[in-house]
């Protein structure tokens, strides 16, 4: 195996247009030829269109002199020069769009959005969003039950099943963190009905899911910043949802909504009050709610 492929990169994969996942374990050639690693049967895709190469810092993509070009987030990969792929990057080969994904090493933080040198003022903006965190319960117990390899396979299948419930309801996945998924809906581009539809799907799916999971929902202003690492969601409300998800254990519930989420979804009088709690690192005491007693209102 070439030296460049001897890496200990975090798990990486491609999300394909048909909602399937293609796991990346080494160098990968994308093309229409049947001997490509990832075969895409589309006229706009060349026989050998692009190559994904693992380096110590992550994956890069290189165009292989394709007829219609390779684009990353809308920008042409020029002159065969490799282009670094951040988590969530869109790779377009001809007319076919693929999304690159890798597990994040840490959740989104509250560092200053202007720290990265490649950021400019107009690359940072604030948007009100619904925030959703889905986290597998009892991860250690699951490993004991199934073993490392089978647990990883279960989580891959679980991610593949959860993703369409979010994306097809207008949501975006910000990042994957091991056994957790962080998603969002900007209020200026999404509707309450889409968020509720996604929640209903997640509630119904959990009953038959191999992996039990907790759901946390919040609503608030989020800072979107763009840099060479891709798009990041940061700010106090992002910290809030990651830290409040842990509070679900305290209230012995698998769904927890902040008061802001309940209010924004117009569920003020429908949700079950769970109580109040402090949130680590955030001043104040906050009210939390469970699902409405009658989940038929989730529509």
């Amino acid at each position: 195996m070439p030296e460049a492929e001897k890496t200990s990169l975090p798990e990486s994969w491609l999300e394909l247009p048909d909602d399937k996942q293609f796991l990346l374990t080494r160098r990968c050639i994308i093309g229409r030829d049947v001997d490509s690693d990832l075969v895409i049967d589309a006229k706009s895709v060349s026989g050998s269109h692009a190559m994904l190469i693992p380096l110590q810092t992550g994956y890069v993509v290189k165009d292989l002199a394709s007829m219609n070009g390779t684009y990353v987030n809308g920008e042409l990969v020029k002159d065969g020069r490799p282009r670094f792929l951040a988590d969530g990057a869109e790779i377009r080969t001809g007319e076919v769009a693929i999304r690159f994904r890798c597990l994040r090493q840490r959740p989104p933080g509250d560092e200053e959005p202007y720290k990265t040198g490649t950021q400019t003022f107009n690359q940072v903006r604030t948007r009100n969003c619904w925030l959703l965190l889905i986290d597998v319960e009892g991860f250690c117990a699951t490993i004991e039950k199934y073993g490392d390899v089978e647990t990883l396979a279960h989580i891959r299948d679980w991610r593949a099943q959860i993703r369409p419930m979010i994306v097809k309801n207008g949501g975006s996945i910000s990042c994957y963190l091991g056994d957790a998924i962080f998603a969002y809906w900007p209020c200026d581009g999404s509707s309450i009905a889409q968020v509720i539809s996604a929640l209903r799907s997640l509630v119904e799916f959990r009953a038959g899911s191999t992996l039990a999971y907790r759901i946390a929902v919040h609503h608030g202003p989020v800072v979107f910043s763009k840099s060479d690492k891709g798009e990041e969601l940061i700010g106090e409300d992002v910290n809030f949802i990651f830290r409040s998800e842990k509070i679900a254990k305290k209230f012995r519930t698998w769904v927890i909504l902040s008061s802001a989420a309940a209010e924004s979804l117009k569920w003020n009088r429908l949700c079950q009050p769970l109580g109040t709690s402090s949130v680590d690192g955030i001043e104040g005491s906050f009210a939390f709610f469970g699902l409405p007693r009658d989940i038929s209102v989730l529509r």
Side-chain angles (χ1 to χ4, degrees), residues 142-195:
T142 304
I143 291 178
E144 289 182 8
K145 180 179 180 180
Y146 295 110
D148 291 345
V149 175
E150 191 172 347
T151 296
L152 185 58
H154 278 302
I155 289 179
R156 286 175 186 153
D157 290 342
W158 175 78
R159 284 196 306 246
Q161 291 170 308
I162 293 289
R163 178 179 173 271
M165 301 178 201
I166 296 168
V167 176
K168 291 181 179 180
N169 282 297
S172 299
I173 294 176
S174 172
C175 61
Y176 297 90
L177 295 134
D179 57 346
I181 300 173
F182 177 43
Y184 64 95
W185 284 257
C187 297
D188 54 3
S190 305
S191 69
I192 292 177
Q194 289 176 307
V195 180

Side-chain angles (χ1 to χ4, degrees), residues 20-52:
K20 292 183 179 178
Q21 296 180 353
F22 181 86
L23 185 65
L24 294 170
T25 58
R26 59 184 181 86
R27 185 175 57 191
C28 171
I29 293 178
I30 300 172
R32 198 172 68 249
D33 288 346
V34 294
D35 58 351
S36 299
D37 299 297
L38 174 58
V39 178
I40 299 179
D41 186 15
K43 291 182 179 179
S44 61
V45 176
S46 297
S48 295
H49 196 109
M51 180 188 298
L52 273 64

Side-chain angles (χ1 to χ4, degrees), residues 4 7 11 31 33 73 77 93 104 111 113-114 116 122 146 158 173 178 190 202 246 275 290 293:
T7 67
E11 184 184 359
D33 288 346
N73 295 331
V77 179
T93 54
R104 295 284 185 91
E111 60 267 29
Y114 306 99
T116 305
N122 61 11
Y146 295 110
W158 175 78
I173 294 176
S190 305
L202 290 167
K246 307 300 181 186
R293 294 184 185 278

Side-chain angles (χ1 to χ4, degrees), residues 231-299:
E231 187 173 66
E232 295 283 343
L233 275 64
I234 58 178
E236 186 172 82
D237 286 85
V238 175
N239 294 331
F240 184 95
I241 191 169
F242 275 91
R243 295 168 187 175
S244 63
E245 184 269 337
K246 307 300 181 186
I247 297 171
K249 295 180 183 178
K250 170 183 174 180
F251 290 124
R252 298 182 180 180
T253 183
W254 59 272
V255 180
I256 189 167
L257 294 88
S258 69
S259 58
E263 182 177 352
S264 71
L265 295 172
K266 305 185 186 305
W267 286 355
N268 310 54
R269 299 179 181 179
L270 299 173
C271 290
Q272 304 176 60
L274 297 175
T276 59
S277 175
S278 60
V279 176
D280 287 347
I282 300 176
E283 187 177 349
S285 183
F286 303 91
F288 291 95
F289 298 84
L291 282 176
R293 294 184 185 278
D294 180 7
I295 66 169
S296 66
V297 302
L298 301 179
R299 62 178 69 206

Side-chain angles (χ1 to χ4, degrees), residues 80-208:
R81 298 174 185 172
R83 172 76 178 268
F84 179 75
L85 295 172
D87 175 44
E90 181 192 75
I91 306 167
R92 186 171 289 275
T93 54
E95 297 177 355
V96 179
I98 302 167
R99 194 163 298 278
F100 172 79
R101 284 297 188 181
C102 65
L103 291 183
R104 295 284 185 91
Q105 298 300 314
R106 58 173 181 76
D110 56 357
E111 60 267 29
E112 288 295 327
Y114 306 99
K115 267 188 178 179
T116 305
T118 57
Q119 291 173 336
T120 61
F121 182 77
N122 61 11
Q123 290 178 304
V124 180
R125 58 177 175 160
T126 301
R127 305 171 77 181
N128 286 323
C129 295
W130 288 284
L131 303 175
L132 176 71
L133 184 65
I134 314 162
D135 192 10
V136 171
E137 290 185 32
F139 183 65
C140 293
T142 304
I143 291 178
E144 289 182 8
K145 180 179 180 180
Y146 295 110
D148 291 345
V149 175
E150 191 172 347
T151 296
L152 185 58
H154 278 302
I155 289 179
R156 286 175 186 153
D157 290 342
W158 175 78
R159 284 196 306 246
Q161 291 170 308
I162 293 289
R163 178 179 173 271
M165 301 178 201
I166 296 168
V167 176
K168 291 181 179 180
N169 282 297
S172 299
I173 294 176
S174 172
C175 61
Y176 297 90
L177 295 134
D179 57 346
I181 300 173
F182 177 43
Y184 64 95
W185 284 257
C187 297
D188 54 3
S190 305
S191 69
I192 292 177
Q194 289 176 307
V195 180
I196 292 175
S197 177
L199 283 172
R200 184 180 181 90
S201 296
L202 290 167
V203 169
E204 292 175 345
F205 176 70
R206 188 180 185 275

